[in-house]
Amino acid sequence: EDKELPKYETPEEPASIPLKEKLITCFWIALNTFSTLGIIFLSKRVFSDDQLHACQLMVVMWHFTATGLVLFVATRGPFRAFKAIRLNPWDMLPVCAFFAGYVVLGNLSLTYNSIGFYQLSKVMTTPCVVLINYVLFRKTVTRYMLAAIFATCIGVSFTINEAAKTQLFGVIIATLAFCSTALYQIWIGKKIEDFGVSAPQLLLNQAPISVLLLIPFVPFFDKIPDLSIVPTDILYSVIASGIMASLYNLSQFLIIGRTSALTFNIVSHIKTILILSIGWYSEGKILSTKEWCGVLLALGGGWVYSHLALKAKQQAHK
């Protein structure tokens, strides 16, 4: 009898994604990009008003309220984007304090800095996360990642030098903003594991508690505006900025759920370039040679680091 030849299973080809699913994913990516641009430029417009400039906390509270409402609606039919879970409010207090703090500082950075510098300073969040992780948890990165981080820091420093000549206070606020964002990202990652929930489930619990946390501080830091003398177009911008904030948060979670982390990082880099380009165009800013070098170093360093980090994460899961 002839012996049967050994048979090897051929790996199954991954099923092709239906056109409808591709279109839905493209829609959420487009909505995330649009809402990111919208919230930045609308918030900049809102805080340009003399009265609303002194209402930082109230504007943030409105954004949190709108985000909470949209996320709540997303849990109901027919959407059911995720399942709502109620967490212990006392366990949520530290997370909400970090959340409120980094958003308030981010808005202050946008108020006192140009859109271009505000966006570039946010690139420093990643080096800050790496530094904090090393100091607190002794987590290290490869030499190539370190080189990418170093290039990012050098690039941003070129733009900081130009901004610091006229806006030292803005540079200080921007530094506090990306440091608080880094702390929040580290803290939130730990809490998602501790609570055993997804990011949107945690945010749905965070938003209303963060509003309540900010209320006692409003009389000390904000001035109640006379809305009757605030221009109508500015009031529309306030309403629209809250809608954009909620759409940004919702679309961000759906993109991460429907695509890979690589896709999300590419989208983030494209948004950064768009924000910088539109911001400079709207402000009529002409970059010096030093600033151009700084922008290219910062964006290039951030791009290389994110791809190296994703590659290392994929290898660790194998």
Side-chain angles (χ1 to χ4, degrees), residues 24-276:
I24 293 173
T25 300
C26 289
F27 168 77
W28 287 118
I29 290 174
L31 182 62
N32 181 260
T33 302
F34 173 72
S35 58
T36 303
L37 294 168
I39 191 173
I40 289 175
F41 288 94
L42 286 169
S43 295
K44 187 71 175 177
R45 180 176 177 78
V46 168
F47 294 130
S48 67
D49 182 80
D50 291 336
Q51 288 198 86
L52 298 181
H53 179 85
C55 299
Q56 298 279 340
L57 296 184
M58 284 187 281
V59 172
V60 169
M61 288 165 61
W62 157 237
H63 288 176
F64 288 168
T65 302
T67 297
L69 288 173
V70 169
L71 288 175
F72 176 74
V73 171
T75 65
R76 317 301 292 179
F79 307 104
R80 302 198 183 279
F82 62 95
K83 183 180 178 181
I85 293 178
R86 182 175 295 179
L87 299 173
N88 187 334
W90 293 109
D91 293 335
M92 290 294 300
L93 284 179
V95 182
C96 294
F98 267 104
F99 181 49
Y102 104 84
V103 173
V104 170
L105 285 170
N107 278 352
L108 283 172
S109 176
L110 183 59
T111 303
Y112 289 100
N113 293 302
S114 66
I115 291 174
F117 180 71
Y118 159 81
Q119 189 64 28
L120 270 179
S121 66
K122 289 177 65 177
V123 176
M124 286 297 294
T125 300
T126 298
C128 195
V129 168
V130 172
L131 178 61
I132 294 171
N133 273 327
Y134 175 74
V135 172
L136 296 182
F137 309 109
R138 294 300 172 188
K139 290 184 179 180
T140 58
V141 294
T142 66
R143 68 182 69 177
Y144 299 109
M145 289 181 183
L146 198 60
I149 290 171
F150 184 70
T152 301
C153 295
I154 293 296
V156 175
S157 71
F158 285 172
T159 62
I160 287 177
N161 285 339
E162 296 297 323
K165 294 176 182 177
T166 55
Q167 294 180 329
L168 180 59
F169 181 71
V171 173
I172 294 172
I173 291 295
T175 303
L176 292 174
F178 71 70
C179 287
S180 63
T181 303
L183 285 168
Y184 173 72
Q185 288 183 0
I186 294 170
W187 183 264
I188 207 71
K190 184 177 184 303
K191 286 304 174 183
I192 285 175
E193 291 181 5
D194 291 346
F195 295 145
V197 296
S198 65
Q201 289 172 330
L202 188 63
L203 184 57
L204 181 56
N205 283 270
Q206 278 178 227
I209 298 174
S210 298
V211 172
L212 295 176
L213 276 179
L214 290 175
I215 289 175
F217 297 96
V218 170
F220 300 98
F221 295 98
D222 282 10
K223 293 180 180 178
I224 306 299
D226 182 359
L227 297 181
S228 63
I229 61 174
V230 176
T232 305
D233 59 331
I234 297 293
L235 292 177
Y236 286 145
S237 296
V238 173
I239 296 171
S241 66
I243 296 171
M244 290 297 171
S246 58
L247 292 177
Y248 165 77
N249 287 305
L250 180 61
S251 60
Q252 177 174 256
F253 298 136
L254 289 171
I255 289 172
I256 294 172
R258 299 178 68 89
T259 65
S260 65
L262 177 60
T263 301
F264 183 74
N265 270 273
I266 292 173
V267 172
S268 298
H269 289 302
I270 292 173
K271 288 192 297 185
T272 297
I273 294 170
L274 282 173
I275 292 167
L276 289 173

